[in-house]
Amino acid sequence: MSESVKKPILEVKDLKVHFPIKSSGGLRKKDAVIRAVDGISFDVYPGETLGIVGESGCGKSTTVRAIAQLTKPTSGQVIFQGKDLCKVSKHELLMARQNIQMIFQDPYASLDPRMTVRSIIAEPLIIYNKRHLLPKELSPLEIETRVEDLMERVGLNKAFKNRYPHEFSGGQRQRIGIARALALNPEVILADEPVSALDVSIQAQILNLLRELQKELGLTFLFIAHDLAVIQYISDKVCVMYLGKIVETSESVELYSNPVHPYTKALLSAAPIPDPEVERKRRRIILTGDVPSPDKEHVGCYFYDRCPNKMDKCKNHIPPMFTVGPHHNCACWQLEEKFPLAESEK
Amino acid sequence: MKFTDRFKKQIHDREEMHKLNKAGRNGAKNEFNQTVQGNSLSKDAWRRLRKNKAAVVGMCVVILYAIISLCAGILPIYSYEEIIIDHQYLPPSLTKTAGELMLKRQLSEMYATSWRQGRLSVTEEEDAMLNNWITLDDTNKVWNWCYEEGEKQRAAGTYVFSASEQKKYDRLQDSIKNDIQVTINSVRWVNPENGKSYKLDNLDYDTLVSIYAKALGGIDEQKVRTSLETGVNSQIQTEVKTKNSESELTAEDIQSLVAMEKDSLGEDGVQAKEKSLAVDNINVLIQNAMTKQIKQEIKAGTNKEFPYKDTETLFDDINFKVEASLKNSRRYILGTDNLGRDLLSRIIYGGRISILIGIVGTITSLFIGIIMGSLAGYFGGRVDYYIMRFVDVLYGLPYMLLVIICMAIFGTNILNLFFALAMVSWLTIARMVRGQIMSLKNQEYIEAARSMGAGGWRIIFRHLVPNSLSVIIVYSTLRVPEFIMQESFLSFLGLGVQAPLASWGSLIGDSTQGMTKYPWRLVYPAIVMTLFLFSMNFFGDGLRDAFDPQSKNML
Ligand SMILES: Nc1ncnc2c1ncn2[C@@H]1O[C@H](COP(=O)(O)OP(=O)(O)OP(=O)(O)O)[C@@H](O)[C@H]1O
Ligand SMILES: [Mg+2]
């Protein structure tokens, strides 16, 4: 299949999520907003894994929640199966959600402590069954069988199905969460840091499980992490986010071998390398300053305050995405001379 | 057609599930091929509850109370509303009969009087002691002391009854031996034509009139009709008078009011009143006739075993059950009240009403409170704003005043009491539930449910409410006692249950007069009530722990 024929399954176009914050004190102060996500665009292709990295608070979770329509985006489009999810009716949204399921970050908080594993996994089935949205109506018996199959699929003993979540370890709970996400046979799974709350050894197990499931069921993942190693392991393409903006997107291999944006470089240099020789020799890029608060409007590069090689232009002009290579784009003014924009993109 | 098909399919599926459950599929096999039976939330809760000793004891006590109140009708206790004036204020006693207690009281009184008259010889010291007790208002002690001293002296022959005392004593002895209490039950009229029997209430007016006429000794039916009419008339008149007791009414006003009242009742209403009057009168006639008859039999020397139960027929075709007992051989283990009613049965019947008020009030207030609170908490924004302002306004009004106004407007009966208490008691629950839900609704599992397309109701009632359950349960078990207390307060003000019905609260309230002289009237209901409230609290605590699957006292 040639690249040009492949159509994205999920398109995000100029997505913005701004949270209004009520200003206290001060009369007639303009209501400020937190620009948690400030105009990002990307495409996800079927069967692929798109990773999103970025430091804490850069808006990764908000992006995912906006895609799943758990938070209403301020503007922008989320196009799934040709429909803009921000504008569809309730019914259509339900239909779409059947194909977009989520795995959550915290395996402790994301399972209702008062439900047994069985009812947790069966819940999406029951909801969709009741609304007659499933392709085929399920009997209680079929639901039961499906739950057991799912449990076995994610590596849980089905004998545990009557237990409560608190009787499981973190890894097991995350498996329950995965089984729940798989219950409706979705096409896309939005995984919001599914492993960051887990132990390293368990992380590997869960990642392997996700990869297996992807291969078997042809799933598409939108995978969020702040751990570069995890992203490298699981994703085909990577977006690097900074302060609600995407600064660099690339294929995974390319990004790790050839980072372009100074922020990506800093991130990569900060990650420890498990080879003491290399680790000792390499030079780290230390970022100075804190992540600026996302509540002010930017006129220049979002990374300006902390960039080690900033220029005058960066201060007042937001950099566009420069094409560095095939599937490799980066937003940094330094690339302007080497990779000038095509006339049409200006 | 489609619907029935689906229904059939559902039933079929259920059966399949059931079979599989039985075959142990639901309790799936573990790696050792053992069947692991699942625990439902309630089963699990029960297991944990059993571990908690205090809660189990509390639960047992609560259940015991429930059983006793449910079975009050068939327990071997005296009637809770039967007034026996002779038995006023009898102290509790396990061994002594009412007669013996009455005798003792009579004797104490006599000895005390004779001490005052100087006929009971006492030393000076004793005299001072008695006077001191009197100044301390401790009449019980005086009477007890006089009784013992008098009995001693009478036995020794140093004290002799005066003639009037002797007469009183003999009369009392006689009445203790012979007084009988006759109760009439299940009065039925047998139709002589076809032999069917009817309850008097279900008879039509004309038959009732003819029965009544016969019972009165075969007088003219027309006379009976007029007498019933005047009877009802005077009933309505007294009602009207008590209703308008503040305004001064002339006889004419009253006449017109009565006519109005009658109009509003309609012909049927008036006739119903006449019927119930006739039934009451017939019952009284039967009772009097039976009392007379049994007394005569005793005088004539027939040996009747008491208590005596029989079915009798009077006035040709009225059947009824008679129960006659020697009035003064009754035993009141918890004493009697100011009208000679058995305190034990009043406590039991009172508990019935108190517990009912506690439970019904809690359930209704929970129902309203949970719905309002979760709507406000979950939807937030404008819904929240308006609901909570409404709650605030109600909060601002004095709670008891509101209840009292309610009761005053709608009249004092038990249903209105429930209604009034529930109307204003959901406020706290609503606030509490709202707070709980606000703190829970941003949890990730709620988000997860939303991402799976769960609607508002499902999220509220499947996720949010069950997760707030522990708080709700504890609060509501604490709420039951509170309702009982509030009802007590209202009964105390005369707005609660109306005599002859009783509740723990009204019993305690009534007992405050003469609290020092008749302490048992206060003590027993108070003990019974306190025990119940205690057990309820322990049970509630146990329930909270039990319903929390994460609670640590699992094993
Ligand atoms: N409901 C909200 N109201 C206001 N601000 C919010 C809200 N949710 C998120 N934010 C803000 O948006 C920004 C992005 O938050 P987000 O949760 O998306 O970060 P994240 O990249 O997922 O971080 P982490 O890696 O720690 O999970 C943060 O500054 C946060 O304070
Ligand atoms: Mg996050």
Side-chain angles (χ1 to χ4, degrees):
Chain A
M1 201 187 332
S2 80
E3 290 292 326
S4 56
V5 178
K6 222 175 178 183
K7 265 181 72 182
I9 186 166
L10 182 71
E11 293 171 69
V12 174
K13 287 188 180 157
D14 198 27
L15 187 72
K16 285 186 185 168
V17 185
H18 293 180
F19 295 110
I21 42 170
K22 303 240 164 61
S23 53
S24 54
L27 295 163
R28 293 191 172 237
K29 208 169 158 189
K30 242 195 193 168
D31 271 356
V33 290
I34 286 193
R35 299 159 182 278
V37 177
D38 207 8
I40 63 173
S41 314
F42 55 82
D43 298 338
V44 188
Y45 291 90
E48 265 187 13
T49 303
L50 177 71
I52 300 184
V53 270
E55 56 197 321
S56 193
C58 69
K60 308 180 297 282
S61 297
T62 312
T63 310
V64 166
R65 303 187 54 221
I67 292 172
Q69 302 299 313
L70 293 176
T71 335
K72 274 272 159 237
T74 315
S75 67
Q77 291 178 309
V78 177
I79 299 170
F80 179 75
Q81 292 175 335
K83 284 180 193 135
D84 182 0
L85 295 188
C86 310
K87 297 204 183 76
V88 296
S89 68
K90 254 189 175 172
H91 177 80
E92 279 175 306
L93 185 61
L94 272 171
M95 294 298 281
R97 271 186 178 154
Q98 194 173 343
N99 282 320
I100 305 182
Q101 287 286 305
M102 290 179 76
I103 301 175
F104 290 85
Q105 176 169 2
D106 185 349
Y108 292 85
S110 61
L111 305 176
D112 187 336
R114 282 185 194 260
M115 284 183 143
T116 56
V117 174
R118 170 220 266 117
S119 19
I120 289 172
I121 300 177
E123 188 169 24
L125 292 169
I126 291 170
I127 291 170
Y128 276 85
N129 208 17
K130 252 192 202 150
R131 302 193 188 210
H132 311 295
L133 291 176
L134 289 180
K136 181 181 153 286
E137 203 130 313
L138 295 177
S139 67
L141 193 63
E142 285 164 326
I143 291 183
E144 200 65 29
T145 328
R146 176 109 180 95
V147 169
E148 286 182 2
D149 291 347
L150 283 166
M151 284 183 75
E152 293 197 327
R153 189 68 227 35
V154 298
L156 284 169
N157 189 336
K158 68 181 176 191
F160 295 159
K161 70 175 170 181
N162 293 314
R163 293 207 185 166
Y164 290 92
H166 73 272
E167 297 173 78
F168 292 90
S169 71
Q172 284 172 321
R173 287 186 194 208
Q174 202 53 294
R175 286 174 198 265
I176 299 171
I178 293 171
R180 171 173 65 183
L182 291 177
L184 290 172
N185 261 330
E187 291 172 22
V188 180
I189 286 192
L190 311 176
D192 183 2
E193 308 200 33
V195 293
S196 50
L198 304 175
D199 201 74
V200 180
S201 59
I202 314 285
Q203 280 190 2
Q205 288 177 13
I206 298 289
L207 289 176
N208 284 335
L209 172 67
L210 288 176
R211 276 180 84 148
E212 266 170 45
L213 289 170
Q214 182 172 36
K215 229 183 276 165
E216 233 170 82
L217 307 172
L219 295 171
T220 310
F221 279 119
L222 181 65
F223 195 100
I224 288 182
H226 52 238
D227 184 338
L228 287 162
V230 167
I231 287 285
Q232 184 179 18
Y233 179 74
I234 195 141
S235 42
D236 306 310
K237 286 189 186 148
V238 184
C239 297
V240 182
M241 262 182 97
Y242 182 75
L243 218 59
K245 268 265 188 224
I246 290 182
V247 292
E248 185 165 1
T249 77
S250 158
E251 286 192 339
S252 178
V253 189
E254 161 84 0
L255 185 85
Y256 283 85
S257 56
N258 177 25
V260 181
H261 199 280
Y263 178 65
T264 317
K265 283 182 189 161
L267 270 187
L268 283 175
S269 82
I273 296 170
D275 182 344
E277 279 296 299
V278 185
E279 176 75 26
R280 217 173 298 133
K281 274 188 217 149
R282 87 192 160 119
R283 191 178 62 90
R284 291 212 170 165
I285 306 168
I286 311 286
L287 290 180
T288 52
D290 288 329
V291 186
S293 149
D295 61 355
K296 61 170 193 244
E297 186 152 15
H298 289 265
V299 285
C301 178
Y302 283 51
F303 192 50
Y304 180 78
D305 297 330
R306 297 167 78 194
C307 189
N309 23 1
K310 53 189 162 207
M311 310 183 297
D312 282 347
K313 192 173 187 187
C314 302
K315 190 165 184 181
N316 289 319
H317 300 275
I318 299 177
M321 278 292 194
F322 296 101
T323 311
V324 181
H327 306 297
H328 192 168
N329 302 305
C330 180
C332 180
W333 283 121
Q334 286 187 318
L335 304 171
E336 196 182 12
E337 282 159 23
K338 249 172 130 186
F339 308 99
L341 285 178
E343 209 45 48
S344 60
E345 288 177 43
K346 264 186 182 162
Chain B
M1 186 61 207
K2 205 181 154 202
F3 177 76
T4 47
D5 275 355
R6 190 187 295 164
F7 189 66
K8 268 185 201 156
K9 190 164 163 286
Q10 269 184 10
I11 290 183
H12 176 76
D13 285 343
R14 289 262 157 78
E15 280 170 0
E16 287 281 288
M17 275 284 276
H18 198 68
K19 270 185 215 154
L20 280 178
N21 279 350
K22 270 196 177 159
R25 171 169 186 160
N26 229 354
K29 297 268 196 293
N30 68 4
E31 52 270 65
F32 305 111
N33 210 22
Q34 296 161 322
T35 312
V36 181
Q37 207 60 53
N39 293 323
S40 64
L41 182 60
S42 49
K43 242 194 216 163
D44 219 40
W46 170 234
R47 201 163 50 88
R48 270 190 293 264
L49 186 68
R50 266 189 329 207
K51 300 242 159 68
N52 184 340
K53 290 260 163 52
V56 171
V57 172
M59 187 183 68
C60 290
V61 174
V62 170
I63 289 176
L64 187 73
Y65 270 82
I67 290 174
I68 290 179
S69 349
L70 283 178
C71 303
I74 55 167
L75 290 177
I77 49 176
Y78 304 116
S79 157
Y80 71 98
E81 50 181 358
E82 194 176 31
I83 297 174
I84 304 178
I85 293 296
D86 289 346
H87 290 181
Q88 276 176 346
Y89 297 126
L90 290 182
S93 161
L94 279 172
T95 49
K96 290 201 174 114
T97 62
E100 286 163 333
L101 290 168
M102 280 162 68
L103 192 64
K104 183 183 167 189
R105 184 160 68 190
Q106 182 83 54
L107 285 173
S108 322
E109 197 188 335
M110 282 187 330
Y111 292 133
T113 333
S114 57
W115 161 64
R116 274 165 203 262
Q117 292 167 348
R119 293 196 294 115
L120 193 72
S121 47
V122 288
T123 62
E124 243 168 58
E125 278 168 27
E126 286 166 346
D127 203 45
M129 179 180 75
L130 289 172
N131 277 323
N132 185 30
W133 279 341
I134 285 180
T135 49
L136 289 175
D137 216 11
D138 224 343
T139 23
N140 273 350
K141 269 189 187 165
V142 177
W143 281 32
N144 276 340
W145 191 88
C146 284
Y147 174 74
E148 272 165 31
E149 189 61 28
E151 284 292 278
K152 231 190 279 165
Q153 294 188 15
R154 194 161 69 101
T158 48
Y159 180 87
V160 195
F161 282 146
S162 70
S164 69
E165 281 173 351
Q166 187 65 43
K167 211 168 146 197
K168 251 192 205 167
Y169 182 75
D170 288 343
R171 210 187 305 138
L172 188 61
Q173 286 281 21
D174 181 55
S175 87
I176 288 171
K177 236 177 252 153
N178 298 327
D179 273 7
I180 48 165
Q181 182 76 18
V182 177
T183 340
I184 307 291
N185 273 324
S186 20
V187 183
R188 291 180 148 264
W189 177 72
V190 183
N191 191 341
E193 279 155 29
N194 53 18
K196 275 188 187 161
S197 77
Y198 301 90
K199 259 184 156 178
L200 288 191
D201 301 309
N202 301 341
L203 289 173
D204 62 73
Y205 184 67
D206 292 326
T207 340
L208 211 54
V209 166
S210 72
I211 294 170
Y212 187 29
K214 216 183 210 172
L216 284 170
I219 59 167
D220 186 22
E221 283 189 18
Q222 198 48 48
K223 260 188 192 164
V224 173
R225 278 170 207 267
T226 34
S227 89
L228 282 177
E229 209 171 297
T230 44
V232 169
N233 243 349
S234 66
Q235 255 183 25
I236 296 178
Q237 206 163 324
T238 40
E239 269 173 37
V240 167
K241 271 184 191 164
T242 47
K243 247 189 219 166
N244 306 299
S245 53
E246 316 90 57
S247 49
E248 294 206 356
L249 295 174
T250 62
E252 274 168 32
D253 289 341
I254 291 180
Q255 277 309 321
S256 67
L257 278 174
V258 169
M260 265 169 63
E261 185 73 33
K262 266 184 157 177
D263 269 354
S264 73
L265 280 172
E267 224 158 81
D268 288 343
V270 174
Q271 206 173 57
K273 278 200 163 215
E274 287 180 10
K275 264 170 77 174
S276 74
L277 185 65
V279 171
D280 288 348
N281 287 351
I282 293 171
N283 278 334
V284 171
L285 282 175
I286 293 172
Q287 174 146 11
N288 288 346
M290 281 316 295
T291 318
K292 217 170 163 186
Q293 189 183 325
I294 294 173
K295 269 190 178 159
Q296 269 169 1
E297 280 174 34
I298 292 173
K299 261 201 188 135
T302 32
N303 264 342
K304 273 214 152 95
E305 281 282 321
F306 288 105
Y308 153 87
K309 278 186 189 174
D310 204 358
T311 330
E312 295 259 352
T313 311
L314 263 188
F315 316 129
D316 297 342
D317 31 43
I318 296 185
N319 274 339
F320 52 87
K321 285 189 189 141
V322 196
E323 270 183 59
S325 56
L326 281 178
K327 188 158 84 178
N328 295 321
S329 68
R330 292 183 169 200
R331 288 173 204 277
Y332 298 114
I333 50 177
L334 296 186
T336 59
D337 68 358
N338 55 342
L339 293 174
R341 293 175 291 203
D342 182 14
L343 194 57
L344 174 68
S345 69
R346 281 186 82 66
I347 289 178
I348 290 175
Y349 276 91
R352 209 180 192 178
I353 286 179
S354 285
I355 294 173
L356 194 69
I357 285 176
I359 290 174
V360 173
T362 307
I363 289 176
T364 28
S365 65
L366 270 184
F367 187 73
I368 307 177
I370 288 182
I371 289 185
M372 296 303 248
S374 46
L375 285 181
Y378 182 70
F379 291 107
R382 198 162 283 204
V383 180
D384 182 31
Y385 183 83
Y386 286 117
I387 291 181
M388 283 343 270
R389 286 308 77 75
F390 180 60
V391 168
D392 286 344
V393 168
L394 281 187
Y395 244 119
L397 299 174
Y399 175 79
M400 266 301 158
L401 192 67
L402 221 62
V403 174
I404 290 168
I405 289 173
C406 243
M407 299 292 290
I409 292 176
F410 298 114
T412 50
N413 67 45
I414 284 203
L415 270 181
N416 286 340
L417 185 64
F418 285 151
F419 175 74
L421 283 177
M423 271 326 284
V424 276
S425 60
W426 57 272
L427 304 175
T428 323
I429 293 191
R431 276 196 172 174
M432 204 183 63
V433 171
R434 170 178 174 264
Q436 277 285 317
I437 282 184
M438 296 237 283
S439 76
L440 286 176
K441 79 169 174 188
N442 290 323
Q443 294 274 329
E444 235 170 36
Y445 59 85
I446 302 301
E447 199 124 90
R450 283 212 290 144
S451 79
M452 292 177 311
W457 286 114
R458 191 185 172 85
I459 289 180
I460 290 176
F461 290 107
R462 277 293 157 86
H463 298 280
L464 292 173
V465 171
N467 275 290
S468 341
L469 208 62
S470 51
V471 188
I472 294 175
I473 285 180
V474 176
Y475 184 74
S476 50
T477 46
L478 296 178
R479 197 75 210 166
V480 172
E482 210 170 299
F483 270 108
I484 294 178
M485 305 280 243
Q486 274 161 4
E487 183 276 325
S488 318
F489 181 62
L490 287 175
S491 295
F492 188 76
L493 293 183
L495 290 168
V497 296
Q498 297 295 301
L501 285 180
S503 71
W504 288 336
S506 72
L507 287 177
I508 292 175
D510 292 345
S511 73
T512 45
Q513 295 144 335
M515 205 160 73
T516 45
K517 243 175 149 181
Y518 319 111
W520 62 89
R521 289 185 60 202
L522 175 64
V523 170
Y524 292 115
I527 289 177
V528 168
M529 185 165 153
T530 316
L531 185 63
F532 181 75
L533 303 190
F534 256 118
S535 328
M536 205 66 207
N537 283 351
F538 282 126
F539 182 45
D541 266 359
L543 273 187
R544 176 200 37 200
D545 291 346
F547 271 105
D548 183 2
Q550 304 190 57
S551 79
K552 291 289 175 275
N553 58 355
M554 258 192 76
L555 290 169

